[in-house]
Amino acid sequence: MVNVLTTAVNAVMISALYALVAIGFTLIFGVGGVLNLAHGATLTIGAFTAYYATAALGLGIWTGTLAALVVAGLFSAVLYLGMIRWVQDEPIMVMILTLVTSIAVEQVFVVVFGTQPKAIPSLLPGQLSAAGITVQTNQALTFALSWLLIGALIVAVNYTQTGKAILATSMSAKGAALVGIESDRMYLYTWLLAGALAGVAGVFLGSFRTASYTMGRGPLVLSFSIVVLGGIGSIRGSVLGAYLIGFLEVFVVSYVDSSLSGLASLVVLVVVLLVKPEGLFGRELAEA
Amino acid sequence: MAAGIDRRRFLRFAGAGVAGTSVAGCMGGSQSSSSKKLQGGPLKIGVLAPEPGNNPIGASIANSAKLAAKQLNDDGGVLGANVEVSVKDTKEDPATGKRKYQELTVGEQVDLTTGVFTSEVQMNLMSSIAQQQTLHMSTGAATPEATRKVAQNYDRFKYYFRVGPVNSHYLGQNMVDFAKANFESMGWKSVAILAEDYKWTEPISKALTGSLSQAGIDVPINKRYAGGTQNFSPIYDQVANAGVDAAYVVMAHTGTSAVVQWHKQKRPFEFGGIHVPMQLPSYYKAVNGACRYAVTQNSATPTSKITKKTVPYANAYQKANGKYPVYTGYITFDAVKMYAEAVKQAKSKEAGKVIPKLENMSYTGTTTSSLEYYGKDHEYPHDVKYGKKYAWPVWLQWRETGGSGSQEVIWPENLASTKYQAPPWIN
């Protein structure tokens, strides 16, 4: 039997990564009210940007991460400007378009990089040991960075002018428009921000496991479970949801059966939708 | 079809009849000259490969069939007939594989099909192979279920041959043989078996269960993990907690994530077994050296002189494609060349005449000097024979030489270029 503390540390580390993945997804839904099924693809773009920067261009992984942040953010912004902006009031169209985009991105990576997974260097090599528990420095960095970004996001949304405008738009686009806020610009910022977060998450995910053209699928499904569990549109709900799902996954693999790892989060998704569809924190910022 | 004659066979016989009559009319009934030439146009070979444009396993299948065809054509063809290759992408999907198989056999009327990587795709083709009665020489899928079908109904499934790799049962047997011969010197007294949950690994798990313990090796963990597993940390925690010397793995689809995480996390156990991605000669660069010190079984390596054909083939492939092939390439090359030899001996490309030639042939290929098939009464008829005299896989360790990785053979001894070395982080 594996030491419970070791399992818990593992769960905390992976949950921090899941939180980073899910926040962008919840941000777009919370503010724009649209489901971005290309979120997983944005993550893949981030991972492969870092891979290309390090393996083909010979740049350092930190530069690669910065490139991933910029490229994924730009991709997300272009996706909004070129496609979603025109159909954002039609949820089915948005879902179809983002899904098709997601598949197209995967196919581009198959053509360019092939089907074999690629390794991305760790941002910080080595390991940390304390109280008999050993974790990768890279994982510890993800944990720290995840909380840093979550904190920065909360501060930005609540205390900056643009953040407040985004918050206002998420509450009521009409009300925001009445006080002179351009909702389209706020949506663009949100997509840009969500894309950048997904890009960074992609680099970390790739550096833990490897980058492959299908790597965005799992996180997209996880994002659904996390966001529904936490409450659609709620940032703190997504963070809590990410930790609950992360713990569930790691403990199921460690103490029940490794073949149930993907199933556990889906069962949670179905149960929450049936029993408490508003999730743990409901939707905080619903339009009146 | 109740009458047992499908449209394709009808057309073939009708076509052969018409052609035969015409030739007889023109040539005045001369038999001697026509018997040396192959009737019915070029020798068409249909290749089924996963993502041949960018998957090394699929590319090796497709490019090796083309290389073999080119060499045959440069040498005057097969009984004067040109060899033509048509490649189709299975996308590792059983339904797509079946559709592409129909395109090759019904649409393009090929004389032979070869390739196929995943067992799931191969098994979905078995009934079509029986129906089309077109020879199929399998070069990637390892499930013994395919040749078990030949055993159950020889007349129906006799068109199926597996040129390689050895079937999963023998892959497992080879893991046991390797363990018995090497574990003591490697210091692997106890191992955790980790097998991805796919069809091809089932017979290997079965072959390993009990056999290692009987050989005096402690096996506290024998786990089949989910095929979609990406996060190996919880599994590795269990392996580390069991205090074993090594993870003895059976991996193809999930192998890269597994070896990268093992290396990055500097896990306190060694790593080896059947790891399909690690068989790829260019793998070291793709994973930034994460495969260093890991061990895998393979059919051949570019520098291992298994037969006089191994190195020349690998070099010819490298010259033509700019990189070395993976195991499916060696086997496909042998499949096409062996088929050509059988056609020459049969003086015909009709499956009914070629099959007995293949059944009785001992062929020197790139991976074995005696490529032979089990007979009709064996448990696995038409499966490539396993053993020291026949197909006998090599075991290699990834090492770093001059800043880049190299696949160094550690077993069998006559091909070994180095001795096994434990990773530096293992005490």
Side-chain angles (χ1 to χ4, degrees), chain A residues 1-2 6 10 14 110-111 114-122 127 136 207-210 249 253-254 258-259, chain B residues 51 54-56 223-226 230-231 233-235 237-238 241 256-257 260-261 264-266 277 286-288:
Chain A
M1 188 67 73
V2 181
T6 306
N10 251 327
I14 203 73
V110 169
V111 172
T115 52
Q116 288 293 304
K118 312 287 183 196
I120 297 176
S122 300
Q127 298 180 92
Q136 285 181 77
S207 74
F208 287 163
R209 300 174 182 178
T210 56
E249 182 188 288
V253 172
S254 297
S258 64
S259 61
Chain B
E51 309 277 359
N54 45 42
N55 179 338
K223 182 184 273 294
R224 290 181 66 78
Y225 63 86
Q230 290 185 319
N231 182 14
S233 290
I235 295 172
D237 283 343
Q238 290 174 32
N241 196 56
T256 298
S257 281
V260 166
Q261 287 173 54
K264 281 195 173 182
Q265 295 172 15
K266 298 282 182 285
V287 294
N288 292 331

Side-chain angles (χ1 to χ4, degrees), chain A residues 114-138:
Chain A
T115 52
Q116 288 293 304
K118 312 287 183 196
I120 297 176
S122 300
L123 277 89
L124 286 179
Q127 298 180 92
L128 300 171
S129 291
I133 308 290
T134 304
V135 293
Q136 285 181 77
T137 319
N138 199 36

Side-chain angles (χ1 to χ4, degrees), chain A residues 44-227:
Chain A
T44 314
I45 287 172
F48 274 99
T49 303
Y51 169 74
Y52 185 76
T54 52
L57 302 179
L59 301 171
I61 182 62
W62 284 94
T63 316
T65 307
L66 194 65
L69 185 140
V70 172
V71 172
L74 284 177
F75 166 78
S76 190
V78 169
L79 184 65
Y80 172 74
L81 285 175
M83 216 181 259
I84 307 303
R85 184 161 56 127
W86 312 103
V87 293
Q88 58 189 339
D89 297 327
E90 299 171 58
I92 301 296
M93 279 285 280
V94 171
M95 284 174 74
I96 293 171
L97 281 170
T98 51
L99 181 64
V100 169
T101 304
S102 174
I103 295 166
V105 167
E106 284 188 4
Q107 290 308 306
V108 167
F109 284 122
V110 169
V111 172
V112 177
F113 293 105
T115 52
Q116 288 293 304
K118 312 287 183 196
I120 297 176
S122 300
L123 277 89
L124 286 179
Q127 298 180 92
L128 300 171
S129 291
I133 308 290
T134 304
V135 293
Q136 285 181 77
T137 319
N138 199 36
Q139 279 186 314
L141 175 71
T142 311
F143 179 75
L145 196 70
S146 166
W147 278 105
L148 194 72
L149 287 170
I150 291 164
L153 188 68
I154 291 169
V155 168
V157 166
N158 290 300
Y159 300 103
T160 68
Q161 205 171 3
T162 309
K164 285 176 183 171
I166 290 175
L167 203 58
T169 309
S170 75
M171 289 173 176
S172 168
K174 285 177 199 160
L178 284 173
V179 294
I181 296 169
E182 288 178 50
S183 57
D184 273 3
R185 189 151 25 119
M186 296 308 123
Y187 293 147
L188 176 62
Y189 290 158
T190 310
W191 278 78
L192 191 69
L193 200 59
L197 285 172
V200 175
V203 177
F204 276 112
L205 199 63
S207 74
F208 287 163
R209 300 174 182 178
T210 56
S212 74
Y213 72 103
T214 54
M215 68 180 288
R217 293 181 192 173
L220 180 68
V221 175
L222 272 173
S223 293
F224 263 109
S225 302
I226 290 166
V227 169

